[in-house]
Amino acid sequence: KFSTKDKLLPGQALCMIGDAYMEKNNIAKAAQYYHKASKKNPNDLLTSLYLYRYALACEMQANWKDALWAYEKIQKDYPQSYEASTVEKRIEYAKTRQ
């Protein structure tokens, strides 16, 4: 359980839970938490990172449809983010894997 009035911390907490599941090699659970983090108070600072981690977890599960969705959302909604500068090749790769 975690509670705060801060707008960024809830998403960060969810992402860290996702990281913990990733460390335990529970990719499906990690993906769920990264996706939850991306929907929690979306912002220009961290949401693209959460989406990127979600997409990578989807790739690890051969879930190319959701990976592509996340990469394209980064490109469309967060074009100024660092992650947006690297997703073009991931988008093309995910398209070839579907």
Side-chain angles (χ1 to χ4, degrees):
K1 300 239 177 206
F2 178 75
S3 178
T4 182
K5 291 181 183 187
D6 187 280
K7 295 289 185 190
L8 297 179
L9 286 179
Q12 288 177 305
L14 290 168
C15 183
M16 285 187 237
I17 293 170
D19 290 344
Y21 277 113
M22 191 65 83
E23 286 288 324
K24 295 180 90 169
N25 205 31
N26 189 336
I27 311 305
K29 235 3 181 177
Q32 287 177 350
Y33 276 92
Y34 293 144
H35 192 247
K36 284 181 188 181
S38 74
K39 295 189 297 183
K40 192 71 151 183
N41 300 321
N43 62 80
D44 291 338
L45 185 61
L46 296 169
T47 304
S48 60
L49 173 65
Y50 305 151
L51 286 167
Y52 193 80
R53 288 184 183 187
Y54 171 67
L56 292 177
C58 288
E59 280 191 19
M60 293 172 79
Q61 300 174 89
N63 181 354
W64 301 105
K65 179 183 171 193
D66 288 346
L68 180 60
W69 170 83
Y71 290 136
E72 288 177 337
K73 184 163 180 66
I74 292 168
Q75 190 178 51
K76 179 180 173 261
D77 295 350
Y78 305 98
Q80 300 302 317
S81 69
Y82 170 77
E83 290 77 20
S85 69
T86 64
V87 294
E88 187 65 40
K89 63 184 174 187
R90 302 305 317 162
I91 288 170
E92 294 307 315
Y93 183 71
K95 285 180 179 178
T96 66
R97 303 295 293 192
Q98 285 191 347

